[in-house]
Amino acid sequence: MLKVSVSTAFYHNDIYNMKNIIYILIIVFTVQITLAQNWKNDPDHSRLEFSTTHMLISEVKGIFKNFEVKMNAKKPDFSDAVIELTAFINSIDTEVEARDKHLKSLDFFDEENYPVMVFKSNSFKETGKNKYKVTGNLMLHNITKQITVVMIYNGTIVNHNTNKTTAGFQILGEINRLDFNVGAKAPGSVISEDVAIVANLEMQLQ
């Protein structure tokens, strides 16, 4: 009788331990699913562009050659995403060296004292299929203001060259440069106060 009792006890302990192991595995699996996924832009396939109107008659475009975007999201449709964009002012390129130098100077961005532009989102609202209204704080020229941009989700694939999960996005927005004291002495008749921003991003899952 004693042997049967001990054997039964071990049997029940094994069942108990197995249940605990299964329970732990379920918890771990659930946590892995609900943890936010981290994404970062592929710099070779991402572009941050801005454009203004010159003399009220023509469009002048430029890019930030050096920038990075980080994003994390739990939901597969990115409706709960949080994004942060950092652009380096000394990487401005309008394909005219003299103009680039002027834009980086004290007259405009003053890159020596304010070397980065940073946008951090605090609200992500779906407005249509794969389309979102993103609100956040833009810090530029040591001034921080809330802005709203449109973000369009273009889909997700596995990049066969890198074997990384890659998602495509486009961000469209507009700011008033005078809100950030950029080029305050330049009249709107020479350079438009409104500056359009377009970002085309390939985001890779990290």
Side-chain angles (χ1 to χ4, degrees):
M1 293 294 294
L2 179 60
K3 286 185 177 181
V4 173
S5 177
V6 171
S7 174
T8 303
F10 278 124
Y11 175 74
H12 285 300
N13 281 337
D14 287 342
I15 293 177
Y16 177 76
N17 290 335
M18 183 60 70
K19 286 183 177 179
N20 281 342
I21 291 171
I22 293 173
Y23 180 67
I24 292 170
L25 288 174
I26 290 172
I27 292 175
V28 170
F29 182 71
T30 303
V31 169
Q32 287 179 337
I33 291 176
T34 57
L35 282 176
Q37 293 182 321
N38 295 314
W39 300 75
K40 188 176 180 181
N41 70 297
D42 173 3
D44 292 337
H45 299 96
S46 299
R47 183 179 177 91
L48 177 59
E49 182 179 282
F50 61 90
S51 63
T52 62
T53 301
H54 182 241
M55 302 290 288
L56 303 178
I57 59 171
S58 64
E59 185 180 47
V60 175
K61 292 185 177 183
I63 63 170
F64 290 91
K65 296 179 74 174
N66 186 10
F67 72 97
E68 64 178 20
V69 182
K70 297 178 181 179
M71 177 177 70
N72 60 68
K74 293 180 181 178
K75 297 181 180 180
D77 66 352
F78 301 100
S79 58
D80 65 339
V82 177
I83 62 173
E84 179 176 340
L85 181 151
T86 302
F88 296 89
I89 302 302
N90 65 3
S91 71
I92 286 175
D93 184 2
T94 64
E95 299 184 329
V96 177
E97 186 176 351
R99 180 167 58 211
D100 296 344
K101 186 176 180 180
H102 193 198
L103 287 174
K104 297 172 190 178
S105 75
L106 186 65
D107 289 344
F108 286 91
F109 287 96
D110 190 8
E111 65 95 6
E112 185 174 341
N113 292 305
Y114 312 114
V116 296
M117 174 179 73
V118 179
F119 173 76
K120 294 182 179 180
S121 70
N122 52 41
S123 173
F124 219 94
K125 184 178 180 181
E126 188 173 10
T127 58
K129 185 178 180 181
N130 298 331
K131 191 174 182 179
Y132 304 91
K133 181 173 75 173
V134 182
T135 300
N137 293 320
L138 176 65
M139 188 276 292
L140 172 62
H141 212 244
N142 205 35
I143 297 172
T144 300
K145 289 186 177 293
Q146 182 174 282
I147 67 168
T148 298
V149 299
V150 173
M151 189 167 183
I152 300 168
Y153 168 50
N154 293 322
T156 300
I157 64 166
V158 175
N159 186 327
H160 296 295
N161 293 321
T162 62
N163 290 322
K164 290 187 175 182
T165 301
T166 304
F169 298 91
Q170 184 178 60
I171 297 176
L172 306 170
E174 187 174 87
I175 64 171
N176 187 311
R177 61 180 174 84
L178 297 185
D179 289 344
F180 299 91
N181 199 28
V182 174
K185 295 180 181 180
S189 58
V190 177
I191 302 175
S192 60
E193 295 178 4
D194 293 328
V195 180
I197 299 172
V198 178
N200 287 290
L201 309 172
E202 284 191 14
M203 303 293 292
Q204 294 182 340
L205 183 62
Q206 302 300 295

